[in-house]
Amino acid sequence: MASTPDFTTTPESTALAGAGATAITGKNLVLTAANGSIGTAANHITTNLLGADKNVDGLSAIATGGIYVDQKASNGLIVRNVSSGGDIYLGSDKGILMGFVNGSDADSYIRAENNGDIVLEARGGSIGDVKYEKDA
């Protein structure tokens, strides 16, 4: 089930980077940079994404350059689709959860081209859902 984004931007070059910038607030965020990066290594895009439905809420970001996003909210960052022509940094004051894309976990939908690095930083929680195997 598709969801209309709360906020979408498609800048031609480096998007929304700047120290002290206001956090982008919503449930479903789509960012696209057709000719550059989303944020910078020094100045991450700050989000306050409040969605909790892993099927429709969360972050989708595509850039020809790097992607640098930091979730500053009372809940974790849901990642749906992130594709970069460079490095990817996704941080969260809480945890990072993989959303669902076409019925699959989004871990298959995080991609850094050109030998880019992928860094996931959950400063106050875990990365992914906790799953326990039943004792035999």
Side-chain angles (χ1 to χ4, degrees), residues 103-119:
S104 299
D105 279 337
D107 57 0
S108 300
Y109 292 89
I110 299 175
R111 181 178 59 219
E113 301 289 337
N114 303 317
N115 296 317
D117 292 325
I118 299 173
V119 176

Side-chain angles (χ1 to χ4, degrees), residues 52-57 78-80 97-101 105 129:
D53 185 341
K54 292 179 11 174
N55 290 298
V56 294
D57 297 331
I78 298 174
V79 179
R80 300 206 55 235
L97 297 174
M98 300 302 123
F100 295 113
V101 178
D105 279 337
D129 289 324

Side-chain angles (χ1 to χ4, degrees), residues 44-124:
H44 304 163
I45 300 300
T46 303
T47 60
N48 181 22
L49 300 181
L50 305 171
D53 185 341
K54 292 179 11 174
N55 290 298
V56 294
D57 297 331
L59 172 69
S60 295
I62 299 172
T64 57
I67 297 174
Y68 306 90
V69 176
D70 206 356
Q71 169 81 345
K72 303 282 189 181
S74 59
N75 61 325
L77 175 64
I78 298 174
V79 179
R80 300 206 55 235
N81 179 13
V82 178
S83 180
S84 168
D87 294 337
I88 295 173
Y89 170 85
L90 302 175
S92 174
D93 285 348
K94 301 293 180 186
I96 297 176
L97 297 174
M98 300 302 123
F100 295 113
V101 178
N102 299 324
S104 299
D105 279 337
D107 57 0
S108 300
Y109 292 89
I110 299 175
R111 181 178 59 219
E113 301 289 337
N114 303 317
N115 296 317
D117 292 325
I118 299 173
V119 176
L120 304 177
E121 181 183 21
R123 294 178 294 275

Side-chain angles (χ1 to χ4, degrees), residues 4-29:
T4 303
D6 291 327
F7 185 90
T8 301
T9 184
T10 54
E12 290 300 315
S13 60
T14 302
L16 306 170
T22 302
I24 300 169
T25 299
K27 289 177 150 186
N28 181 3
L29 174 63

